[in-house]
Amino acid sequence: GQQVMQIPQYQHVQEGEDFTTYCNSSTTLSNIQWYKQRPGGHPVFLIQLVKSGEVKKQKRLTFQFGEAKKNSSLHITATQTTDVGTYFCAGDRSGTASKLTFGTGTRLQVTL
Amino acid sequence: EAGVVQSPRYKIIEKKQPVAFWCNPISGHNTLYWYLQNLGQGPELLIRYENEEAVDDSQLPKDRFSAERLKGVDSTLKIQPAELGDSAVYLCASSLGLAGAYNEQFFGPGTRLTVL
């Protein structure tokens, strides 16, 4: 079946440093979504990427979808303590984001 | 607007006992999902409903798990009998389910199940 892997599993940074998590799918995707889960919380939708090579920005967050639509990345510039949580990518092959395969997640810890 | 509501938030049971979880999706959302999330892992889909129809239950362990969404609104997920390995967080999510569109999923707070 489809597998979605993320690296690293865990990263600890000091506030102000940059952070990047990488997502790789074993199969070509229709689209990819990113979610953030705070400690003790539930996943919250961040963004969806659809087009090959697409880049989207949300303030300090930059999301990229690979040319082959099999990988994606999330980059956070100048991390803040509010960025703490686990970031999941979720790959979709259905075309309507109705069957997501979530990645293994990257847990981000930010300290002052 | 209210989000996805789940109850109970926490449940502790002994193995071999039955347990049920309830979910009320966001009003107007046609698609409802049940996920299982183990500690340190991403959510795994158990079942997906389009209105009252279960359109994807391929990952649901049907020997002990069952689910229903009788009127196409709220849903119940049941485990009978529960096993130690069922300890996890059970998440419910919903989406508009618009045909031909990409649908963002909204998650509820989850039910944390502990089987002793």
Side-chain angles (χ1 to χ4, degrees):
Chain A
Q2 180 187 17
Q3 291 187 331
V4 180
M5 303 297 292
Q6 284 181 252
I7 55 170
Q9 277 189 303
Y10 171 76
Q11 186 150 8
H12 184 181
V13 300
Q14 288 198 318
E15 191 175 48
E17 293 181 335
D18 291 355
F19 160 77
T20 304
T21 172
Y22 299 92
C23 173
N24 292 285
S25 169
S26 58
T27 58
T28 302
L29 301 170
S30 297
N31 67 90
I32 195 159
Q33 296 184 354
W34 283 90
Y35 289 79
K36 177 184 178 181
Q37 187 170 22
R38 295 182 185 275
H42 56 275
V44 175
F45 175 85
L46 293 176
I47 209 160
Q48 179 169 268
L49 303 170
V50 177
K51 299 176 183 177
S52 170
E54 187 171 16
V55 177
K56 286 188 176 180
K57 293 189 177 183
Q58 286 181 350
K59 297 183 180 178
R60 296 178 294 105
L61 279 59
T62 301
F63 303 84
Q64 187 166 4
F65 202 7
E67 293 290 341
K69 301 184 76 172
K70 294 183 71 173
N71 56 72
S72 181
S73 64
L74 158 59
H75 179 82
I76 302 178
T77 302
T79 56
Q80 300 175 357
T81 54
T82 53
D83 295 326
V84 165
T86 300
Y87 293 84
F88 291 100
C89 62
D92 171 61
R93 291 188 295 165
S94 71
T96 57
S98 59
K99 184 159 185 170
L100 297 178
T101 299
F102 279 79
T104 47
T106 295
R107 185 161 70 93
L108 173 64
Q109 179 64 28
V110 181
T111 52
L112 295 171
Chain B
E1 179 182 306
V4 177
V5 178
Q6 289 188 249
S7 68
R9 292 294 311 278
Y10 304 92
K11 188 74 176 179
I12 301 174
I13 60 171
E14 294 190 342
K15 63 181 180 182
K16 299 185 181 180
Q17 294 300 306
V19 65
F21 315 122
W22 177 79
C23 172
N24 193 28
I26 292 173
S27 177
H29 280 197
N30 297 322
T31 307
L32 183 146
Y33 313 78
W34 282 103
Y35 288 90
L36 176 155
Q37 185 174 28
N38 286 306
L39 189 64
Q41 298 181 25
E44 300 171 36
L45 181 68
L46 290 172
I47 190 168
R48 172 170 64 97
Y49 283 92
E50 297 289 347
N51 299 303
E52 66 274 10
E53 182 182 0
V55 296
D56 185 353
D57 63 357
S58 56
Q59 301 293 98
L60 191 72
K62 298 180 185 61
D63 56 335
R64 297 183 302 108
F65 286 65
S66 64
E68 60 183 16
R69 193 185 184 198
L70 293 176
K71 296 183 179 178
V73 180
D74 57 343
S75 175
T76 303
L77 176 69
K78 297 178 181 177
I79 308 175
Q80 183 171 9
E83 296 179 352
L84 294 175
D86 295 331
S87 294
V89 175
Y90 291 83
L91 293 163
C92 179
S94 69
S95 66
L96 281 170
L98 296 174
Y102 296 104
N103 294 274
E104 169 188 347
Q105 294 186 23
F106 295 82
F107 283 82
T111 297
R112 181 177 298 276
L113 173 67
T114 302
V115 182
L116 302 175

